Amino acid sequence: MTRVYNFSAGPAMMPEAVLSRAREEMLDWQGSGMSVMEMSHRGKEFMSIASKAESDLRELLGIPTGYKVLFLQGGASAQFAMVPMNLLRGKGKADYINTGQWSKKAIAEARRYCEVNIAATAEAGKFTSIPARDTWQTDPDAAYLHYTPNETIGGVEFHWIPETGGVPLVADMSSTLLSRPLDVSRYGVIYAGAQKNIGPAGLTVVIVREDLMGEVLPGAPTLFDYQVMADNGSMYNTPPTYSWYLAGLVFEWLKGQGGLQAMAEINRRKAGKLYDLIDASDFYQNPVDPQCRSWMNVPFTLADADLDATFLEQAKAAGLLTLKGHRSVGGMRASIYNAMPEEGVDALVSFMKDFEQRHG
Ligand SMILES: *Cc1c(COP(=O)(O)O)cnc(C)c1O
């Protein structure tokens, strides 16, 4: 068996230790005589798996009391609708910050439910920077302010939390949650599709401040009501049990790595190695303002785009997969979430140096 270094933006690599543990437990979870995917979600075995996953996540992120953790389906894309449905609470407008492709998707969906005020946009600069906070045209009467702390496609990341003066702050953290410690108390809602930095696809983690629930838009589907899902322990209907279990194994693994402070140090170092190489070379380029470069997704281009196919082919032969950039931006992109070992980044860096020597 050979495992490659997979730089996919999502679904992305899982920690090998987690996959091995899942394999060991596949046919008979801890003497239950069945696989986790065959268990009743209401049985005591799965209930213990579910609550352990939640308590480990709470411990990792230091989630304060007064916040519910929901394990939902529908991906971050369903949250683009659930956020306005739940948070408008009688108001007709919300603020959005536009820093790239995922912001735009969130904005387009919100427009189905309310008036969207684009408080700031980086579109004029092709989404290579983040507008300074003091240029934002926020509305003090907005129901909430939504932003995308890490733009997975453009590789643009906030390394600070916006101040909103009491307006609930909502964040699509799909590609950055768990990459570093986080002050959850600054947020109204945090959501993330699991398939980047949490676990397998099919699970969406939502962290919601309790006082923001309970006033869902009339006519919204029952399953889209945060309050209903919270009251039912995310089990109003059958939850994505196996993904929930694997996410729990990832949370345990993260605790074993030393928690999010330790992950932050590793992630900063991993990203730094790639950006240092790119900046030191005339052959590779990253267009993002160094102040807001992502630790998780590193897009780069080659000086000669005609070499793209050769680069990808030779990288693949070297066991470095899925480096092709998003179709909307072209070039390359290395996604280096928690589960990408530092050795994988080292292997990519030496491949890139070698490629430059041969073709630069
Ligand atoms: C991947 C991603 C999404 C879409 O997630 P789905 O789970 O496919 O709906 C949304 N936002 C960000 C920031 C992402 O990285």
Side-chain angles (χ1 to χ4, degrees):
M1 181 201 66
T2 329
R3 281 188 52 85
V4 297
Y5 293 120
N6 175 8
F7 294 89
S8 170
M13 279 184 90
M14 295 278 289
E16 196 172 315
V18 165
L19 296 178
S20 298
R21 166 99 179 259
R23 177 178 57 189
E24 279 159 30
E25 295 179 339
M26 173 63 79
L27 297 186
D28 175 10
W29 183 82
Q30 299 189 8
S32 64
M34 60 177 87
S35 169
V36 172
M37 69 181 87
E38 301 168 301
M39 284 176 184
S40 163
H41 56 295
R42 305 202 189 276
K44 72 174 188 330
E45 287 95 350
F46 187 75
M47 289 301 241
S48 76
I49 290 169
S51 69
K52 171 84 164 48
E54 178 174 341
S55 62
D56 283 346
L57 181 63
R58 284 185 171 275
E59 186 183 327
L60 282 165
L61 282 167
I63 300 174
T65 53
Y67 284 81
K68 292 286 188 206
V69 178
L70 309 178
F71 292 84
L72 307 181
Q73 302 183 56
S77 301
Q79 294 308 307
F80 293 165
M82 282 176 79
V83 163
M85 281 179 177
N86 285 272
L87 292 207
L88 283 169
R89 299 184 303 144
K91 293 196 173 186
K93 51 191 183 171
D95 282 350
Y96 277 72
I97 308 302
N98 182 10
T99 50
Q101 305 304 327
W102 289 115
S103 297
K104 285 171 87 163
K105 287 236 168 133
I107 289 164
E109 189 69 9
R111 283 201 168 119
R112 297 163 57 102
Y113 304 99
C114 66
E115 189 187 312
V116 169
N117 170 43
I118 308 295
T121 175
E123 189 147 25
K126 297 197 172 145
F127 298 122
T128 54
S129 64
I130 292 172
R133 175 65 188 87
D134 60 11
T135 65
W136 296 11
Q137 309 270 314
T138 54
D139 177 351
D141 213 30
Y144 59 89
L145 182 144
H146 180 284
Y147 81 121
T148 310
N150 186 63
E151 286 283 359
T152 320
I153 295 172
V156 171
E157 185 160 19
F158 283 73
H159 297 285
W160 47 283
I161 300 177
E163 184 51 60
T164 56
V167 171
L169 181 60
V170 178
D172 173 3
M173 294 210 180
S174 294
S175 50
T176 183
L177 192 68
L178 299 174
S179 66
R180 66 181 84 189
L182 183 68
D183 182 358
V184 173
S185 73
R186 299 279 301 274
Y187 292 88
V189 173
I190 291 166
Y191 63 89
Q195 69 275 18
K196 277 69 185 254
N197 211 20
I198 297 175
L203 172 72
T204 314
V205 171
V206 180
I207 302 167
V208 51
R209 215 174 70 204
E210 284 169 17
D211 63 287
L212 298 174
M213 301 189 305
E215 260 189 87
V216 78
L217 207 66
T222 308
L223 275 174
F224 274 29
D225 184 341
Y226 288 151
Q227 185 77 61
V228 169
M229 293 317 259
D231 290 347
N232 290 277
S234 305
M235 297 190 195
Y236 179 84
N237 70 326
T238 315
T241 50
Y242 201 73
S243 297
W244 192 332
Y245 155 70
L246 281 175
L249 294 185
V250 171
F251 301 153
E252 254 186 79
W253 176 79
L254 286 170
K255 284 172 58 180
Q257 301 301 298
L260 300 190
Q261 190 60 54
M263 292 319 296
E265 280 158 33
I266 297 168
N267 287 327
R268 181 204 293 275
R269 202 166 58 228
K270 277 158 57 184
K273 285 178 176 179
L274 277 169
Y275 290 120
D276 285 350
L277 163 74
I278 291 166
D279 288 345
S281 128
D282 294 327
F283 185 74
Y284 300 109
Q285 268 199 331
N286 168 287
V288 178
D289 173 358
Q291 303 289 326
C292 49
R293 282 173 166 176
S294 170
W295 288 4
M296 297 281 101
N297 312 95
V298 181
F300 59 93
T301 51
L302 312 190
D304 176 3
D306 288 345
L307 286 171
D308 284 5
T310 313
F311 180 93
L312 290 166
E313 210 172 281
Q314 294 184 6
K316 187 172 177 187
L320 308 167
L321 267 69
T322 339
L323 283 160
K324 194 172 163 57
H326 190 268
R327 59 189 180 280
S328 66
V329 290
M332 311 295 155
R333 173 177 51 171
S335 294
I336 49 172
Y337 303 114
N338 286 336
M340 170 61 66
E342 191 158 357
E343 298 78 55
V345 173
D346 291 339
L348 176 59
V349 165
S350 50
F351 170 79
M352 286 170 70
K353 281 185 181 155
D354 183 57
F355 190 87
E356 178 177 358
Q357 276 187 354
R358 286 182 288 114
H359 297 276

